[in-house]
Amino acid sequence: QWYYMARGYAARQAGNLRLALAVYQEALARFPDFAYAYYEIAHTYRLNEQPAQAMAAIEQALVLMAPPNATYYVRAGSIYEWAGDASRALDAYRQALLIDPQNAAALKGVERLGK
C-alpha cells in the first residue's frame, strides 16, 4: 500500500498529475478500503481541477478512516470550499475541531466561513 502512496506522491511532486492519478487508482483497485489512498487522490483531483472526483474521493476517505482524523476533515473542508460548497466546508472544519479543538487550519476555515 505504502509503495503506491510513495510513487503517487513522487509523481505529484514532479508535476505529473496523470501518473499520480493512475498510481493512486491502481492502489485503490488493489486496496479498496485504504482510506489514505482516497485522501491522497482527493488532493490530486483538486490539483487537476476535478471537483466532483475530489469530493467523492474525500467523502470515501471520511467513511473509511479509523480512527477519526482531523486532518481528513480539514482536507474535506478545503476541497468543499474550493468547489464552492461553503456549507459542507464549514461542517467539515467543525468536525475537525471536535477532534482537535486547536487545529489551526480548521479554526481559520471556520473563521473564514462562519460569518
Side-chain angles (χ1 to χ4, degrees):
Q1 296 173 337
W2 295 106
Y3 165 76
Y4 287 101
M5 296 304 94
R7 246 184 99 209
Y9 180 79
R12 189 172 68 211
Q13 290 300 105
N16 191 341
L17 298 180
R18 180 185 297 193
L19 177 59
L21 287 170
V23 170
Y24 291 136
Q25 288 164 349
E26 185 176 342
L28 289 169
R30 291 177 183 259
F31 310 101
D33 295 331
F34 189 31
Y36 189 70
Y38 286 102
Y39 174 83
E40 287 298 325
I41 201 170
H43 180 62
T44 308
Y45 280 132
R46 179 180 176 194
L47 294 173
N48 205 42
E49 301 289 329
Q50 295 177 266
Q53 293 88 340
M55 289 187 290
I58 198 61
E59 287 165 9
Q60 189 61 28
L62 294 173
V63 167
L64 294 171
M65 72 176 166
N69 185 321
T71 305
Y72 281 47
Y73 283 110
V74 168
R75 176 155 294 168
S78 173
I79 287 170
Y80 293 138
E81 189 174 352
W82 163 75
D85 193 336
S87 175
R88 287 172 78 187
L90 186 56
D91 288 345
Y93 290 134
R94 287 180 174 151
Q95 282 295 118
L97 292 173
L98 291 175
I99 298 165
D100 177 7
Q102 302 305 314
N103 186 291
L107 287 167
K108 287 179 184 174
V110 168
E111 182 179 321
R112 237 184 353 266
L113 300 174
K115 295 181 180 184

